[in-house]
Amino acid sequence: MPSEIVVNVNSRETRVAILEDGKLSEVMYEREGSLVGNIYLGVVENVVPALDAAFVDCGVEKNVFIHVSDAMEDEPSRKQMRHKMNGFPPIREVLNEGDKILVQVTKGPVELKGARATRRISLPGRFLVLTHDGRGKVGVSKKLEDDKERTRLRDLGNSLKPDEFGIIVRTRAEGAQRREFEDDIRFLTKLWRSIQGKTGQAKAPALIHEDLSLVFEVVRDVMNKETKRLIVDDKVTYDKVLNLLDNVEPGLRKRVELYKGADPIFNHFDVEKQINRALQPKVWLPHGGHIVIEQTEALTTIDVNSGKFTGAKNLEDTVVRTNVEAAQEIAPQLRLRDIGGIIVIDFIDMDKQKHREKVMTELRKAFKGDRMRTRIMHITPLGLVEMTRKRTAQSLQQKLTSTCPCCGGTGYILSADTMAGRIAEELRVRAKRDEPDAEAFAVVADPRVCLTLIGPQGEEADRLETELGKDLYFRCDEGVHPEHYDVFSGSKRDIEKQFPVLKKGRRLQITSEDVLPIPSEGMTAIVDGCIVGLPEVSPKEEGPLKIRITSADRSYGRATPTGK
């Protein structure tokens, strides 16, 4: 589909959004610079036979991982790749500690894992990829399906291939002519000679060649005759793009625009809202069904649900139509979220084989436009599909979010009921066994935990005081983690001095910041850490409210409004 490329450049980062008919299909970020594609002269630091791999110091934050299959200078044969465990020589026959080797990063670091690299260097051009692996093969992208065109491009590649190099013809080379191949080869061989020269002079570890910055990579790999326009909000970047196109595709210069609007460029093109939606796990389908995408360290799961689907004649029709819509939506979602690795899709069960085949046809069709390599397995009778998608960097979620400091990344915290039960149990142990002489205990905890301990009318606190035979003071602190709390003990005088109680008849003013947003018949507020109930006031009441304390005990009070 015709696409627009929107580029936002600022001091912190560069962002590139690819739109297809106004809908965000890909978004890319460049902050500290990607390692993928960079070439380093590294030093082998550790050889690990148990992993058939080595770790190479390339001068980056974490040592780079290189498997024996990537450590071999020649590309492994198909037989070796079929027998991965036994098809390769031992890693110590290929690499040893202290070896200096030239490597290229193929996958960026993810979570705790460092980057991954290969010794077989490949240099991408606009139509070709020049490879230096010693076998001198010519390959054609599998996404080019026309056999006649594939043969023409392969023959053209064979006639132009430099000695000791291999060539991979890219998908975008469809229709390319000899001159365009010659220009690519001339540029790439010159680049390779430059890399060799730098390697001979460098002291390992060292960066030998840095891949193009994000904007220029997109111009090289994405922008083509179907691109309606590339619009950028930075004059310096705009000029550089024009200069690059002068060398590679002058006919596209007129499609580059400098954005001068008042609104931020991503807001103007509605990109920010679409990015926010891409961070949500649930994606709604056209007729009310939905998919739920959950990412874990090991794999990504996609669950398909019929949800609020309407319009089908019967259950079977509902299931098939929901699954087909899901199959069509999964590919663009994975592309937009930049999710790779192992993916498991759980379609709704289908009894008929023809329906399962229909869904698989739609799924494979949807992935045809994906620039990343995918492999889709068959569908099981239970509706499960295993697939892989090439991963070269962090997903959109990993780039834009950080682990929740509250739940630690699990998505869950202990409920207020659970925490209240744990606190009550600790109070029992301390009152009856550890500190039987203490006259009073005070607990400082999250407001919802305190409210659960106290009860809607203070009845739970009264019951626990009677059980323990101790005075209890519960105080709320919104700055306390929901799973944390503090318990203090001592004489009644000392505890009440540290945690004073509310005074009956006291007049004060509360604001919306003092109100607890909890379901209740009246308003519940926090005053000096104590829970105060206002049964006569709606919890939706807004604005400052003047109140008078009508009753109070050690942890709970009631109040009535006196005006605004």
Side-chain angles (χ1 to χ4, degrees):
M1 285 188 282
S3 63
E4 293 177 302
I5 301 173
V6 180
V7 181
N8 168 230
V9 180
N10 58 54
S11 58
R12 293 191 312 276
E13 62 186 5
T14 296
R15 303 185 293 174
V16 177
I18 299 175
L19 306 178
E20 294 179 352
D21 290 341
K23 184 178 180 181
L24 183 64
S25 62
E26 287 185 64
V27 61
M28 293 164 273
Y29 288 75
E30 183 178 65
R31 288 171 178 159
E32 296 179 356
S34 171
L35 301 181
V36 177
N38 289 356
I39 299 172
Y40 297 88
L41 179 62
V43 180
V44 178
E45 193 162 280
N46 302 103
V47 175
V48 187
L51 298 177
D52 263 342
F55 291 89
V56 183
D57 179 8
C58 291
V60 295
E61 184 178 357
K62 294 179 181 178
N63 283 351
V64 172
F65 175 88
I66 184 166
H67 186 258
V68 64
S69 60
D70 293 311
M72 299 166 60
E73 293 187 272
D74 290 338
E75 185 178 355
S77 65
R78 291 184 180 180
K79 182 178 180 181
Q80 286 176 311
M81 294 303 294
R82 281 198 303 267
H83 302 88
K84 290 184 179 180
M85 291 294 186
N86 304 308
F88 303 115
I91 184 65
R92 287 201 177 276
E93 292 183 10
V94 181
L95 292 175
N96 288 292
E97 284 89 350
D99 287 351
K100 296 179 181 179
I101 58 173
L102 195 66
V103 297
Q104 183 174 37
V105 176
T106 56
K107 290 184 181 180
V110 178
E111 298 290 343
L112 300 177
K113 298 178 181 178
R116 182 164 180 163
T118 179
R119 293 178 75 181
R120 297 186 294 278
I121 308 300
S122 60
L123 303 175
R126 193 159 178 80
F127 302 104
L128 304 171
V129 177
L130 192 69
T131 63
H132 190 265
D133 60 7
R135 297 183 66 179
K137 294 173 58 178
V138 173
V140 180
S141 169
K142 293 180 180 179
K143 292 185 178 180
L144 285 169
E145 297 180 348
D146 187 301
D147 290 339
K148 187 176 180 180
E149 178 66 1
R150 288 177 63 86
T151 300
R152 184 187 75 85
L153 292 171
R154 182 176 281 107
D155 291 343
L156 187 56
N158 275 311
S159 68
L160 296 173
K161 180 183 68 65
D163 293 337
E164 299 182 2
F165 287 96
I167 285 178
I168 300 172
V169 180
R170 305 185 69 177
T171 306
R172 68 182 305 151
E174 185 172 12
Q177 300 304 311
R178 186 182 188 89
R179 180 186 57 80
E180 293 167 316
F181 274 29
E182 288 174 340
D183 290 344
D184 256 11
I185 290 172
R186 187 180 304 110
F187 169 76
L188 296 173
T189 51
K190 181 180 178 182
L191 177 59
W192 174 248
R193 287 194 296 271
S194 172
I195 290 170
Q196 283 184 308
K198 291 179 181 178
T199 302
Q201 298 174 4
K203 183 178 179 180
L207 172 64
I208 301 299
H209 168 73
E210 187 171 12
D211 201 15
L212 292 178
S213 66
L214 176 61
V215 175
F216 305 128
E217 181 184 338
V218 168
V219 171
R220 180 192 69 192
D221 295 344
V222 179
M223 193 174 184
N224 56 34
K225 294 176 182 178
E226 293 184 355
T227 304
K228 291 169 62 177
R229 61 175 173 168
L230 183 150
I231 183 165
V232 57
D233 63 357
D234 178 69
K235 181 66 165 61
V236 174
T237 305
Y238 168 78
D239 290 336
K240 288 181 178 180
V241 169
L242 291 180
N243 289 335
L244 177 63
L245 287 174
D246 277 338
N247 295 320
V248 297
E249 193 72 46
L252 296 179
R253 288 183 90 258
K254 60 185 179 182
R255 303 189 190 187
V256 181
E257 299 177 16
L258 178 62
Y259 178 74
K260 298 180 180 179
D263 291 336
I265 190 169
F266 268 32
N267 286 353
H268 179 80
F269 287 93
D270 198 36
V271 175
E272 294 287 8
K273 289 182 180 179
Q274 295 187 65
I275 291 174
N276 290 335
R277 285 199 294 269
L279 294 174
Q280 302 303 314
K282 182 179 288 188
V283 180
W284 289 101
L285 301 174
H287 289 87
H290 65 266
I291 59 176
V292 178
I293 303 172
E294 296 287 350
Q295 299 179 57
T296 69
E297 187 173 347
L299 52 81
T300 297
T301 62
I302 303 176
D303 187 32
V304 181
N305 298 281
S306 58
K308 300 180 291 185
F309 187 94
T310 57
K313 297 178 181 178
N314 51 53
L315 177 60
E316 185 178 4
D317 189 32
T318 298
V319 168
V320 175
R321 290 182 62 181
T322 301
N323 282 340
V324 167
E325 288 182 358
Q328 294 167 342
E329 184 63 31
I330 286 169
Q333 286 297 326
L334 293 181
R335 183 181 171 196
L336 172 58
R337 297 166 190 246
D338 203 7
I339 294 174
I342 300 172
I343 299 155
V344 177
I345 308 168
D346 183 9
F347 288 105
I348 306 171
D349 292 356
M350 294 170 286
D351 294 331
K352 296 181 179 179
Q353 178 64 24
K354 68 176 183 178
H355 290 157
R356 293 196 287 268
E357 290 175 356
K358 180 178 181 180
V359 169
M360 290 302 295
T361 299
E362 290 295 331
L363 184 66
R364 290 193 169 96
K365 180 180 176 183
F367 276 101
K368 281 191 175 182
D370 196 337
R371 292 191 292 128
M372 293 297 174
R373 184 174 66 250
T374 58
R375 184 184 179 201
I376 303 173
M377 309 303 287
H378 64 277
I379 186 169
T380 71
L382 293 178
L384 295 177
V385 175
E386 296 176 358
M387 66 168 289
T388 60
R389 183 174 184 269
K390 184 179 179 182
R391 176 171 57 196
T392 59
Q394 293 179 314
S395 69
L396 185 67
Q397 177 179 288
Q398 291 167 329
K399 290 174 185 173
L400 301 188
T401 65
S402 57
T403 302
C404 172
C406 194
C407 70
T410 66
Y412 301 94
I413 58 171
L414 295 174
S415 68
D417 285 330
T418 300
M419 289 305 303
R422 291 188 176 185
I423 293 171
E425 194 60 30
E426 180 172 335
L427 289 172
R428 291 186 184 98
V429 171
R430 295 179 67 158
K432 296 180 179 180
R433 188 190 69 187
D434 297 342
E435 302 176 72
D437 296 332
E439 295 178 335
F441 290 91
V443 175
V444 179
D446 175 80
R448 289 159 189 77
V449 175
C450 282
L451 185 58
T452 305
L453 281 163
I454 294 168
Q457 307 296 328
E459 68 280 2
E460 291 297 326
D462 292 341
R463 183 189 60 75
L464 192 56
E465 282 190 335
T466 301
E467 177 189 342
L468 301 181
K470 310 287 183 180
D471 288 351
L472 300 178
Y473 297 75
F474 297 108
R475 293 293 182 268
C476 305
D477 186 344
E478 292 185 284
V480 173
H481 188 287
E483 293 182 343
H484 297 168
Y485 61 90
D486 290 306
V487 179
F488 304 87
S489 61
S491 66
K492 293 180 182 179
R493 180 177 179 181
D494 289 343
I495 292 296
E496 189 159 319
K497 185 177 180 180
Q498 189 175 355
F499 301 96
V501 299
L502 296 171
K503 299 297 183 182
K504 182 178 178 180
R506 176 184 171 189
R507 295 175 181 269
L508 67 149
Q509 179 175 280
I510 61 173
T511 66
S512 56
E513 294 180 356
D514 303 314
V515 177
L516 277 177
I518 58 172
S520 60
E521 294 182 1
M523 180 182 288
T524 302
I526 301 174
V527 177
D528 296 340
C530 296
I531 297 290
V532 175
L534 293 97
E536 304 169 38
V537 182
S538 167
K540 297 181 180 180
E541 184 76 30
E542 296 181 357
L545 182 67
K546 294 179 179 178
I547 64 170
R548 178 173 60 86
I549 304 296
T550 56
S551 64
D553 60 19
R554 283 175 286 275
S555 305
Y556 178 81
R558 292 175 70 89
T560 187
T562 60
K564 289 192 174 183

